[in-house]
Amino acid sequence: MITLTQLNELLGWAALLNISILVLATLLLSVMRTTIISIHSKMFNIAEKDLPVMYFQYLANYKILTTVFLLVPYIALKIMGH
C-alpha cells in the first residue's frame, strides 16, 4: 500500500517531468516552427495553416491535464502536511 508521503513524492516528480516536457515542447515549437510544421504537414497530410492551432490546442490541453491531475493534488497534499 502506498503512503500519502509516497504519493506526494510521486505526484511531485510526475509534475516536474510533465512540466519539463511541456516547456521543451513549447520551446521546440517556438524555435523550430517552420521545420516542425513542414514535417508534420507531410507526415500526417494536414494543411500547414491548420497546424499552429493544433499545436496551441495540444499545449493548452497538456498544461490543463498536468495542472489538474498532478500539480493541484501535489499542492493539496503539501498543504495538508504530507
Side-chain angles (χ1 to χ4, degrees):
M1 190 74 178
I2 190 168
T3 66
L4 287 178
T5 304
Q6 291 171 326
L7 178 61
N8 195 30
E9 190 172 339
L10 173 69
L11 289 170
W13 282 110
L16 179 67
L17 290 171
N18 277 281
I19 291 168
S20 300
I21 291 169
L22 178 63
V23 168
L24 179 64
T26 303
L27 289 173
L28 287 175
L29 284 171
S30 297
V31 173
M32 302 177 63
R33 181 184 190 106
T34 55
T35 305
I36 293 173
I37 286 176
S38 175
I39 291 169
H40 286 157
S41 176
K42 292 172 186 168
M43 280 178 62
F44 301 113
N45 198 23
I46 299 172
E48 289 189 7
K49 65 179 180 68
D50 295 336
L51 283 169
V53 172
M54 295 174 79
Y55 294 149
F56 183 78
Q57 288 174 339
Y58 158 75
L59 293 171
N61 289 334
Y62 199 95
K63 181 173 60 174
I64 290 168
L65 290 171
T66 299
T67 301
V68 169
F69 291 110
L70 297 173
L71 197 57
V72 170
Y74 173 76
I75 293 170
L77 284 173
K78 279 294 189 187
I79 290 170
M80 289 173 43
H82 291 283

